Amino acid sequence: MADQIPLYPVRSAAAAGHKRAAYYSAAGPGPGADRRGRYQLEDESAHLDEMPLMMSEEGFENDESDYHTLPRARIERRKSGLEWFVCGGWKFLCSSCCDWLINICHRKKELKARTVWLGCPEKSEEKHPRNSIKNQKYNVFTFIPGVLYEQFKFFLNLYFLVVSCSQFVPALKIGYLYTYWAPLGFVLAVTIAREAIDEFRRFQRDKEVNSQLYSKLTVRGKVQVKSSDIQVGDLIIVEKNQRIPSDMVFLRTSEKAGSCFIRTDQLDGETDWKLKVAVSCTQRLPALGDLFSIRAYVYAQKPQLDIHSFEGTFTREDSDPPIHESLSIENTLWASTIVASGTVIGVVIYTGKETRSVMNTSNPKNKIGLLDLELNQLTKALFLALVVLSVVMVTLQGFAGPWYRNLFRFLLLFSYIIPISLRVNLDMGKAAYGWMIMKDENIPGTVVRTSTIPEELGRLVYLLTDKTGGAPLLPRSASTQREEQHAGTLTQNEMTFRRLHLGTVSYGADTMDEIQTHVLSSYAQVHPQTGGNNPSSTPPRRAQSSTPKVRKSVSSRVHEAVKAIALCHNVTPVYESQAGITGETESAEADQDFSDENRTYQASSPDEVALVRWTESVGLTLVSRDLTSMQLKTPGGQVLTYCILQVFPFTSESKRMGIIVRDESTAEITFYMKGADVAMSSIVQYNDWLEEECGNMAREGLRTLVVAKKALTEEQYQDFESRYSQAKLSIHDRVLKVAAVVESLERELELLCLTGVEDQLQADVRPTLEMLRNAGIKIWMLTGDKLETATCIAKSSHLVSRTQDIHIFRPVCLKYYEHELVELACQCPAVVCCRCSPTQKAHMVTLLRQHTGRRTCAVGDGGNDVSMIQAADCGIGIEGKEGKQASLAADFSITQFRHVGRLLMVHGRNSYKRSAALGQFVMHRGLIISTMQAVFSSVFYFASVPLYQGFLMVGYATIYTMFPVFSLVLDQDVKPEMAILYPELYKDLTKGRSLSFKTFLIWVLISIYQGGILMFGALVLFEAEFVHVVAISFTALVLTELLMVALTIRTWHWLMVVAEFLSLGCYVASLAFLNEYFGIGRVSFGAFLDVAFITTVPFLWKVSAITVVSCLPLYVLKYLKRKLSPPSYSKLSS
């Protein structure tokens, strides 16, 4: 935010001025770095209260470096050499070396400004990148190494790889190779296949885009050329509805007006059309081929990130004198936008990596969930236990013989402590959660794009949302389509005009008909004859403007205000062809073009459209507009024409827009201006009501705009125009010079009116925010809006209750006191950051993550929210009317903001709880068998011999226990309705109590107890039938596992019951084939398992006895715990 809000000099001492200049320009990299000059135009004295916190005036004089040491000085202490190296210095050194090598191999080319000759790519002085799009992560050579690296950087997988490889050494071979390699191979095969499919899809998408054909203009005529073969300097023809392949300067169009519309939703996420203007010198040429007969070049600034600005000049050398034209953003066609009207011809200035769209895309990072990180920690703890256990065994052996070989054999024997099925189970679980989210009928249209982090939804502490974002995408007719503009994250971006204030009189929603009467009477007085295009029949206003002393009637003031609102805007009416309207037949009238049914308005801001729609509703309709003129239709059906002389578009710095028009009938020139009250109050003539009324409207949650005008004489205008054209041609400080010229006009404007427009909140925003707040989630709103609007929306959405105090911090705090500011902000119930650029939104998210270490979630809906969504731990995109860019970049895509509540409370809760239970149960399954192995080895003189052979081990982890254990993904502790009704339950999840070292230790103790009972029980009870120990203990083990699953489940599902009986059935059926396995060690005579013994009563009662002893105490303990200290959710579910 620091580079978006102006900082004002406090004292105007010249000496200090230079030093400070460094400050303001140091506002940070990015679009704001070169803006300081603009701010110093503002009135200095009015902003003394914008002093930074905790800093005296003298503070400004100090050297910049002092500030960087202030907050951080007490945070970090430098470590000494060896300590530094051990504590992570080695990582730093390795990464530095890698970076250095990469930089040497892949030096970044410095970006420079360029001169591009029309149609002569061969004249370019330097080599430019190819115009190809590449979204792939890997290429043919790096694919396998890359995927394997991603897999084996997890401790778990690396461990299995080492264990599996050790089986190739004869002395260490314990069982069959397949018992180790089959599970590992399966995990890797699934991962590689998944990555390969994703990669192939990316490759196909890129190929499709890169091989699109375009017409290229050459001396010999048109030739077809692939998008990837386009070069800087080529003249490219783009048809209607075709994607623009690279960044171009707009030279010609088939449209008569010399302008065209483009759709930019894929670039900036905004769905409205943008008007682009062709370079007038080339537009005036008689034929297309003449582009090659002139000697002309474009000078373009170096490629940069900012998609909303461009500075360049167009020069034609062969005319006398040479023609120079200034180029700005309205003469550019950026890549990835789409031509919405006519055919355009442009000269390519940037290609490939240097286009704005590619420079603005950040590489998405692989997100890893907190649960996965926690399980990774537990795996390391288990590994430590494994090593300790093996060392103990070798020590008890007395280090006899080749002890190190025995140590390694023990490590392999107990390797089941760390289960390989953990990753498989969790990945399958994640896929199941994703499927459940997409199938939930209460949140239709939800898409899970990142299947690896559904548990994150249950761990969120901070939710960062954009002010505007998605509304439901319902099929809608052409007429309803006209009635809605974009939709927002919290607001609908659907504006309705609520109030018009003229200083002495105010009109609200219920008195709009009075305005209509006034407008009607104003035009009726002057036109006794209705209709007709008689130019002399417009009201004489010369007298009024020249004698401001006479108090005007309310009627004329209303009329002036309405006319100003109808003229001062950037809206263009667009007429759909008759075919576009379903089931409506249009009477064949002469002015069919201007019929209201098929007119839609296009503008860069929904506020503007709301105002023009409103003037239409009170009788003054905008019927057509091109670059040079616009036409209004009066209530009487007569058409007034105005010539547009200049337009000063709205910018986030100036906070206002202006237009100079000439009335064709009276030749009167008027300068109209509208803008935010902050910007306009110093420009308009003195009045005593503006500030108060703005405050009143803001408290109602309305967006205010101040409208003013100034009559100009022909001489005044000509003088202004010459200075303005000169300023627009300058290469250096162009923005500053242009602003200075425009400012000379902005003095003593006549205040006409104040308008209030309401931005309606989306359905159920307030209850959703309320629910999230009760769930202990802190909500931050990051918006590009001005402070006043952001505060309004925060209040109207009940993000901030009306009684709460609001504290406003200036950007200096974030710049020099980052640590303290974030610490303070984290304690606030709600935080609003206004005037955020997309990169700053991402910066805030990163700051919050680093500072608090808690999980963050970003919700947004436009292209400007993509970087924030990618920076957060969990990104939710709303598929709104601002385009699909955010929803495509997000991990979860929803259609309305209110769906966030259910996504977090129900699905987030379930995913986290289930994964935690599943992960711990799978670990328990490995621990119990390792305990049995340890007991078995101790009894048999510490022999490193496996208890269960080959298939028994594979079967145990898969077919015998897999289905019941995996059925834990269907478990739920509270019903969805309860979770939504009592969002407070969510607070428990953020503490991470479902999976912690405490719960893990409980499972370890259970495993040791059960493993010990099973093994000792089998040894005690087998009497003479020693050979049957394997059969007895393994059967008891499978039964115990099935009972333990039943103990863990909180809510039964019919599939769980099926899974339990299926597994039991599989085991009983397989007993017939498992003769050879039920032996001890390598000795297998096939005689150990005689069906006769299994069917005897002693076998059955012994197995039952062991199983009861291992499970019953746990059932009793669980019952007592539920009775004596029940968890919070059980109180609700009873």
Side-chain angles (χ1 to χ4, degrees):
M1 282 173 302
D3 60 344
Q4 285 288 327
I5 306 182
L7 301 178
Y8 303 97
V10 177
R11 287 186 309 190
S12 43
H18 292 299
K19 227 173 218 185
R20 286 188 220 124
Y23 255 3
Y24 304 138
S25 57
D34 57 358
R35 288 190 187 148
R36 75 162 199 276
R38 262 182 244 187
Y39 303 144
Q40 290 162 355
L41 299 173
E42 304 266 356
D43 176 24
E44 296 186 0
S45 59
H47 297 284
L48 283 170
D49 59 338
E50 309 218 355
M51 277 292 288
L53 288 186
M54 300 158 63
M55 200 187 297
S56 64
E57 264 187 56
E58 286 68 39
F60 270 106
E61 313 300 332
N62 289 342
D63 189 43
E64 175 94 31
S65 58
D66 299 348
Y67 289 114
H68 293 295
T69 55
L70 274 176
R72 295 174 180 76
R74 60 173 184 275
I75 299 166
E76 38 189 275
R77 175 183 61 81
R78 290 302 299 269
K79 296 186 169 94
S80 61
L82 185 65
E83 189 189 352
W84 172 82
F85 185 78
V86 174
C87 293
W90 61 276
K91 274 188 191 167
F92 174 74
L93 285 175
C94 294
S95 60
S96 306
C97 295
C98 294
D99 289 347
W100 178 74
L101 281 169
I102 289 168
N103 281 341
I104 283 188
C105 309
H106 188 75
R107 279 227 172 91
K108 262 201 169 173
K109 194 176 88 198
E110 195 191 342
L111 301 173
K112 296 195 187 97
R114 58 194 61 186
T115 301
V116 179
W117 289 85
L118 265 57
C120 305
E122 62 282 348
K123 278 195 187 177
S124 76
E125 294 126 39
E126 50 192 286
K127 200 167 170 285
H128 299 296
R130 276 191 72 219
N131 191 42
S132 59
I133 285 176
K134 185 171 182 289
N135 286 315
Q136 288 152 260
K137 281 189 195 169
Y138 312 102
N139 59 30
V140 180
F141 303 108
T142 59
F143 178 70
I144 296 290
V147 175
L148 291 178
Y149 169 73
E150 282 297 325
Q151 281 307 300
F152 291 125
K153 74 178 184 190
F154 271 110
F155 175 76
L156 198 66
N157 298 0
L158 187 65
Y159 166 76
F160 291 125
L161 183 67
V162 173
V163 168
S164 306
C165 289
S166 70
Q167 292 302 289
F168 289 117
V169 180
L172 302 176
K173 193 163 186 296
I174 277 187
Y176 301 104
L177 272 179
Y178 71 80
T179 54
Y180 288 95
W181 279 99
L184 185 67
F186 175 70
V187 175
L188 287 179
V190 170
T191 310
I192 290 176
R194 194 176 61 196
E195 274 295 324
I197 292 167
D198 284 353
E199 197 63 3
F200 184 64
R201 282 188 189 144
R202 284 187 210 114
F203 167 73
Q204 279 185 314
R205 279 202 300 261
D206 291 350
K207 191 178 171 189
E208 191 184 329
V209 173
N210 289 330
S211 52
Q212 278 179 352
L213 291 176
Y214 289 89
S215 302
K216 172 176 156 185
L217 211 58
T218 62
V219 188
R220 292 179 295 286
K222 293 182 190 176
V223 279
Q224 292 287 307
V225 56
K226 274 189 188 168
S227 168
S228 55
D229 296 334
I230 289 174
Q231 296 171 300
V232 172
D234 281 345
L235 296 176
I236 302 294
I237 301 173
V238 188
E239 304 291 337
K240 183 176 176 178
N241 289 333
Q242 208 177 9
R243 188 186 74 90
I244 293 172
S246 56
D247 289 356
M248 310 198 291
V249 165
F250 183 14
L251 300 178
R252 277 182 80 88
T253 172
S254 57
E255 302 277 295
K256 292 191 289 291
S259 62
C260 77
F261 281 109
I262 61 166
R263 295 203 296 272
T264 60
D265 51 346
Q266 291 307 310
L267 184 64
D268 58 10
E270 294 177 1
T271 44
D272 47 271
W273 297 0
K274 306 282 190 296
L275 188 73
K276 295 290 176 179
V277 185
V279 174
S280 56
C281 171
T282 47
Q283 178 67 26
R284 283 197 302 263
L285 294 173
L288 250 186
D290 297 340
L291 284 171
F292 286 100
S293 60
I294 62 171
R295 273 176 51 79
Y297 64 83
V298 168
Y299 169 82
Q301 64 183 153
K302 68 178 186 190
Q304 57 179 23
L305 280 166
D306 190 359
I307 54 175
H308 301 297
S309 74
F310 173 74
E311 286 180 20
T313 50
F314 174 88
T315 308
R316 180 176 172 182
E317 285 194 332
D318 56 352
S319 66
D320 189 31
I323 296 173
H324 297 286
E325 260 189 65
S326 78
L327 302 177
S328 68
I329 185 71
E330 59 181 20
N331 307 111
T332 57
L333 303 167
W334 296 144
S336 298
T337 57
I338 289 167
V339 178
S341 64
T343 305
V344 302
I345 294 118
V347 59
V348 176
I349 51 171
Y350 308 123
T351 51
K353 292 194 206 81
E354 294 177 347
T355 58
R356 295 290 205 265
S357 61
V358 174
M359 290 178 82
N360 271 289
T361 44
S362 51
N363 291 332
K365 60 181 191 340
N366 284 341
K367 294 186 179 179
I368 298 168
L370 186 58
L371 187 93
D372 294 324
L373 297 173
E374 289 170 341
L375 283 170
N376 209 30
Q377 295 294 350
L378 293 182
T379 324
K380 289 175 185 169
L382 287 174
F383 178 70
L384 205 65
L386 167 72
V387 174
V388 170
L389 186 59
S390 306
V391 171
V392 167
M393 284 294 184
V394 175
T395 314
L396 291 173
Q397 262 186 350
F399 291 104
W403 63 269
Y404 48 86
R405 198 183 76 186
N406 287 341
L407 175 69
F408 210 94
R409 281 180 66 88
F410 275 123
L411 281 173
L412 292 172
L413 271 182
F414 298 137
S415 68
Y416 282 100
I417 283 186
I418 302 176
I420 186 159
S421 52
L422 183 60
R423 282 239 70 81
V424 187
N425 272 308
L426 284 176
D427 286 351
M428 281 162 51
K430 289 170 196 282
Y433 309 141
W435 185 82
M436 288 172 196
I437 291 173
M438 295 205 267
K439 283 278 169 279
D440 188 343
E441 289 165 7
N442 294 301
I443 45 173
T446 304
V447 182
V448 178
R449 299 191 195 279
T450 308
S451 58
T452 51
I453 56 167
E455 301 91 1
E456 289 294 270
L457 294 169
R459 308 290 298 275
L460 303 173
V461 181
Y462 290 98
L463 184 100
L464 300 100
T465 169
D466 171 31
K467 182 266 313 178
T468 56
L473 285 176
L474 301 169
R476 50 192 204 271
S477 65
S479 54
T480 53
Q481 202 162 359
R482 278 213 328 272
E483 288 158 26
E484 46 190 78
Q485 263 290 334
H486 327 308
T489 306
L490 302 179
T491 58
Q492 295 187 30
N493 257 8
E494 205 162 291
M495 307 292 177
T496 41
F497 191 93
R498 286 276 175 238
R499 181 146 307 177
L500 180 76
H501 203 293
L502 302 172
T504 51
V505 57
S506 168
Y507 295 97
D510 45 352
T511 48
M512 288 296 174
D513 49 341
E514 287 184 31
I515 299 181
Q516 208 165 345
T517 322
H518 285 311
V519 172
L520 206 62
S521 65
S522 301
Y523 283 108
Q525 287 164 16
V526 191
H527 324 301
Q529 83 281 31
T530 53
N533 248 344
N534 183 353
S536 64
S537 58
T538 50
R541 277 172 310 279
R542 181 56 103 188
Q544 288 176 5
S545 57
S546 56
T547 56
K549 299 284 176 283
V550 180
R551 183 111 196 212
K552 297 178 190 166
S553 67
V554 171
S555 184
S556 69
R557 281 165 59 206
V558 169
H559 168 230
E560 280 294 332
V562 172
K563 190 173 70 172
I565 296 170
L567 288 171
C568 183
H569 53 70
N570 228 329
V571 182
T572 309
V574 178
Y575 293 92
E576 294 160 18
S577 59
Q578 272 320 110
I581 294 179
T582 49
E584 284 184 24
T585 51
E586 194 62 53
S587 55
E589 40 185 328
D591 62 346
Q592 186 264 321
D593 279 356
F594 298 159
S595 64
D596 296 344
E597 282 74 18
N598 58 353
R599 183 190 310 113
T600 54
Y601 292 115
Q602 288 294 344
S604 54
S605 140
D607 296 45
E608 300 232 279
V609 177
L611 294 172
V612 173
R613 279 225 183 93
W614 175 77
T615 62
E616 179 183 353
S617 73
V618 294
L620 200 55
T621 311
L622 174 70
V623 286
S624 79
R625 174 180 182 143
D626 55 31
L627 286 182
T628 53
S629 69
M630 68 172 111
Q631 293 180 314
L632 302 180
K633 191 165 76 174
T634 64
Q638 184 207 18
V639 175
L640 312 174
T641 307
Y642 291 89
C643 177
I644 301 173
L645 302 176
Q646 297 288 349
V647 177
F648 313 110
F650 180 90
T651 64
S652 51
E653 288 76 46
S654 70
K655 302 191 181 115
R656 51 187 181 259
M657 69 91 53
I659 189 168
I660 301 179
V661 292
R662 180 191 281 125
D663 187 334
E664 293 282 298
S665 53
T666 59
E668 212 175 272
I669 299 176
T670 317
F671 169 44
Y672 288 107
M673 189 155 225
K674 68 169 185 219
D677 50 298
V678 224
M680 298 288 288
S681 53
S682 55
I683 298 174
V684 297
Q685 292 168 352
Y686 173 76
N687 61 327
D688 53 6
W689 58 272
L690 183 61
E691 194 178 337
E692 186 185 342
E693 280 308 321
C694 284
N696 292 342
M697 285 193 191
R699 279 188 285 280
E700 289 177 41
L702 301 180
R703 293 179 169 203
T704 53
L705 276 178
V706 179
V707 185
K709 73 162 193 176
K710 183 180 192 176
L712 300 177
T713 61
E714 189 66 43
E715 301 74 53
Q716 281 174 323
Y717 174 69
Q718 291 306 334
D719 166 55
F720 165 78
E721 201 210 12
S722 62
R723 288 183 294 136
Y724 189 63
S725 313
Q726 208 174 338
K728 273 169 71 173
L729 277 174
S730 57
I731 297 279
H732 302 294
D733 288 337
R734 178 189 294 180
V735 179
L736 208 64
K737 290 175 184 168
V738 169
V741 175
V742 176
E743 207 206 356
S744 65
L745 264 190
E746 299 170 351
R747 290 191 187 134
E748 288 295 296
L749 272 69
E750 179 190 343
L751 175 58
L752 294 175
C753 64
L754 175 64
T755 63
V757 174
E758 185 180 30
D759 188 352
Q760 292 168 335
L761 284 179
Q762 258 198 43
D764 293 341
V765 164
R766 287 174 189 153
T768 305
L769 289 176
E770 189 78 14
M771 181 200 295
L772 295 174
R773 222 178 9 245
N774 290 342
I777 296 173
K778 292 183 177 170
I779 303 165
W780 287 37
M781 186 168 91
L782 309 181
T783 168
D785 274 335
K786 60 174 187 279
L787 181 67
E788 297 76 16
T789 314
T791 319
C792 282
I793 290 161
K795 283 183 175 170
S796 62
S797 63
H798 290 190
L799 180 64
V800 179
S801 71
R802 296 188 186 275
T803 53
Q804 275 174 339
D805 295 334
I806 295 179
H807 303 283
I808 296 163
F809 294 101
R810 301 291 168 198
V812 176
C813 310
L814 190 60
K815 196 172 152 197
Y816 300 116
Y817 300 101
E818 196 174 82
H819 179 77
E820 286 85 343
L821 182 71
V822 177
E823 202 168 324
L824 190 63
C826 288
Q827 294 165 19
C828 300
V831 177
V832 180
C833 306
C834 39
R835 284 265 160 258
C836 288
S837 69
T839 35
Q840 285 167 336
K841 287 182 179 183
H843 177 64
M844 286 307 295
V845 174
T846 318
L847 202 64
L848 204 52
R849 284 179 58 196
Q850 288 168 349
H851 180 84
T852 61
R854 296 305 189 89
R855 302 322 260 179
T856 56
C857 169
V859 187
D861 72 307
N864 52 350
D865 303 318
V866 169
S867 36
M868 162 171 90
I869 285 172
Q870 288 176 344
D873 295 301
C874 165
I876 299 177
I878 299 183
E879 200 171 286
K881 295 180 215 162
E882 277 197 41
K884 286 193 177 184
Q885 209 175 353
S887 83
L888 289 173
D891 306 309
F892 302 91
S893 157
I894 55 179
T895 52
Q896 287 189 338
F897 181 77
R898 64 194 172 110
H899 293 169
V900 171
R902 188 175 174 90
L903 193 63
L904 269 54
M905 301 302 122
V906 178
H907 294 288
R909 176 185 192 83
N910 288 344
S911 303
Y912 170 57
K913 286 262 185 180
R914 289 163 178 174
S915 279
L918 184 65
Q920 292 180 110
F921 203 93
V922 171
M923 285 180 173
H924 156 75
R925 197 168 66 179
L927 277 165
I928 192 169
I929 209 159
S930 300
T931 311
M932 293 172 75
Q933 175 71 54
V935 174
F936 176 79
S937 290
S938 335
V939 172
F940 291 100
Y941 313 106
F942 307 105
S944 49
V945 175
L947 167 61
Y948 300 134
Q949 286 283 324
F951 185 77
L952 278 189
M953 286 310 302
V954 176
Y956 170 67
T958 54
I959 165 173
Y960 299 149
T961 59
M962 181 174 75
F963 300 116
V965 170
F966 189 66
S967 72
L968 287 172
V969 303
L970 298 169
D971 191 19
Q972 58 181 32
D973 54 356
V974 290
K975 291 194 171 74
E977 300 74 39
M978 280 290 170
I980 288 175
L981 190 60
Y982 298 102
E984 291 77 5
L985 288 172
Y986 190 88
K987 286 181 189 170
D988 288 350
L989 305 183
T990 52
K991 295 170 186 159
R993 287 180 182 161
S994 300
L995 175 70
S996 58
F997 269 104
K998 180 184 162 188
T999 57
F1000 171 65
L1001 274 173
I1002 292 171
W1003 275 107
V1004 170
L1005 293 173
I1006 291 174
S1007 309
I1008 293 173
Y1009 166 75
Q1010 290 187 328
I1013 292 288
L1014 291 172
M1015 205 58 225
F1016 278 120
L1019 293 171
V1020 169
L1021 295 176
F1022 69 67
E1023 300 147 25
E1025 308 122 344
F1026 168 73
V1027 287
H1028 297 304
V1029 67
V1030 175
I1032 294 174
S1033 65
F1034 193 77
T1035 310
L1037 172 66
V1038 172
L1039 288 173
T1040 298
E1041 280 300 286
L1042 297 180
L1043 286 172
M1044 283 303 292
V1045 171
L1047 178 68
T1048 310
I1049 288 171
R1050 287 171 290 233
T1051 312
W1052 281 87
H1053 188 283
W1054 64 271
L1055 278 171
M1056 296 172 171
V1057 184
V1058 171
E1060 292 266 340
F1061 284 110
L1062 183 69
S1063 297
L1064 194 59
C1066 284
Y1067 178 65
V1068 173
S1070 63
L1071 286 178
F1073 311 104
L1074 294 178
N1075 287 358
E1076 61 190 283
Y1077 286 115
F1078 283 154
I1080 298 171
R1082 299 290 172 104
V1083 226
S1084 309
F1085 302 112
F1088 287 112
L1089 182 84
D1090 41 5
V1091 179
F1093 172 67
I1094 286 185
T1095 48
T1096 57
V1097 175
F1099 173 77
L1100 293 174
W1101 82 256
K1102 286 173 185 174
V1103 168
S1104 307
I1106 295 170
T1107 312
V1108 167
V1109 174
S1110 77
C1111 290
L1112 191 65
L1114 296 169
Y1115 270 86
V1116 173
L1117 282 172
K1118 181 179 179 183
Y1119 176 76
L1120 289 173
K1121 186 169 184 290
R1122 291 279 314 232
K1123 274 283 172 240
L1124 301 172
S1125 70
S1128 52
Y1129 62 81
S1130 67
K1131 296 172 192 167
L1132 296 174
S1133 48
S1134 49

